[in-house]
Amino acid sequence: MGRRTLGGTMTDTGSGGRRLRTLVAVVVAMFVLASCAAIPEASDPEAIKRVDEANTPAEVPAPPEDVDPLALVRNFADAAGSPANDYEAARLHLTRQTREQWQPPRELLIVDEVDTIPQPPPPGAPRSVQMVSLQVDKVGRLKADKSFVPESGSYEVPVRVEMQPNGQWRIANPPPELLVSRSAFEDNYRPVPVYFLDHTRDGVVPDQRYVVAQPGPAQPSRVIELLNGGPSEGFRGAMDTALPPDAVTKTNVSEAEDGALVVNFSDLGRPAPEVRRLIAAQVVLSLQGVSNARVRLLEDGTPLLPDTPELRPADVAQFESDNGDAGASSGLAVVDERLRVLDDNAAPVPGPAGSGEYDVVRAGQSADGSRLAAAVRRPGGVGLRVGEYGGTLQELPIGGVQLTEPTWRGSSQVWTVVDSRRIAYAVQGRDGNWSTGEVDSAELAGDRPITDLRISRDGTRLAAVVDGTIVVAGIVGDAGDLRLYRPTPLTGGPSDVTITGVEWIGDDSLVAMTSSSGVPVLETSVDGFQWSSYSSANLQQPLTAITVGPGRKVVVADNSGLWQATGDQDLWRLLQVPIGGGSIPFFPG
């Protein structure tokens, strides 16, 4: 990827029958930020006015009058979703003494299927004391850096409830975890992609984070604080930032009288022009998740980019364009152990890969279309060949009984899984020669089989199918020292579904095929919080391949043919190409 420049203008492992009974509506007043009428050419540093979501002014209702202990504890899991006024909505469910001493944990444990069951009170306890067992299913955890990490399993904790002098029940010992029902979390937080540098350090890629939804005008400042804090814990090392460690914003992001969002940085350390452009791309693309306004990006009161004092996402789109979908490529397919173009003619690919000289089992094309990698039959199993599109493919010392579909990281690095256990890669050096190596897969899979592996087009992450579950990990290091960082199983999908293949549908989401007839294709956010199912109409199991083409078009193969859909609300339509069932389609990446 060349240097860019600015141009113009549902696992359910708990009791599935439980259902959330009560949702406390939290009314949050809008906090109006001061607008900026004019920006001076230069200004003295001012103390930054940080957004503190736990102390945002709001009117918070008390629990309903005469609520019983069971409902009170259930309501607590809803009220804890609002951090306003130092979690006042949750504190109002506590006894006065507990309310004053309670220190909410920095992380949220997001839960589902909230249920409460009465338990015997402690021996000798007065009638004013009740014990309640709070039982939930874990969904995941919102970390202190506002990233989500899936968790699964059940969670149970005893809660002591005491009657107060006014006749109302209140909680005396809240759970040690800050439990928040999934519905309350979705009501009070919104997902926002915060952009950081990809592995080439000259493009940007989103890191999914969550910000408090109210008050709305405070959201841009919250996003910039996350940007200043760097990539989330799970992708540190895989992503980077153009912002120096000491960079701060002099004030909260504000709205000028002309409607522009003003972001005024300090302590940037005189960055070079190309670094300034990367900073601009990070800021503007991150803010588009919470605002449609143009961005006035400043450094100590003066424009960060003198030639472009105000920016919109279109002005920096080229920094993420190479990490998008498959572009205009028509794709390729393995048909009867030869490569063909996935179009109306289905012509053979030029060279040995299309002529039948190689018995191609699976193949992958680099994102720029210039390179091919193919798993080809050889005595005793299959081996990996790689080279220029249309040319002779060099045989590499990577092989076994089986290889997964090759997946590219840029145009000079290709990965595959050997015999469901070993992750092997090949890297082309500046001299044109290919060297090979392996990546330690112990933390990713242990002794479980890896049946698919796909690298994101931005090169920062991979998604693997490990024993029927999607696992996402960051990619850290360079050739000769490539490592997987914090592999995370995405455990939030349907519990009775086995994943058989995965592909990146964008740089923030994945699409997967399964062995289920009822739910043959699923889509999930890269952090595993959101899941949705595609239609099952027209598809027949087993599905043999899944890939994603231009415009996020999902293509799957079954024994009857190739089918496409452009979203989870779309019906599967037969792809009108002279390529039948049993073939293996793929797009660059």
Side-chain angles (χ1 to χ4, degrees), residues 11 74 78 217 293 309 340 359 405 452 485 492 495 505 552 566 580:
T11 78
R74 290 195 302 272
D78 290 331
R340 293 183 176 273
D359 295 330
E405 179 182 334
D452 199 9
Y485 187 72
S495 59
I505 196 170
R552 300 168 67 97
T566 54

Side-chain angles (χ1 to χ4, degrees), residues 197 227-230 240-249 265-272 275-276 279 282 299 304:
L197 303 186
L227 186 61
N228 280 337
D240 203 347
T241 180
L243 286 164
D246 296 331
V248 295
T249 45
F265 281 106
S266 185
D267 298 328
L268 293 183
R270 297 182 179 179
V275 176
R276 291 174 180 267
I279 292 173
Q282 287 187 246
E299 178 189 11
L304 180 69

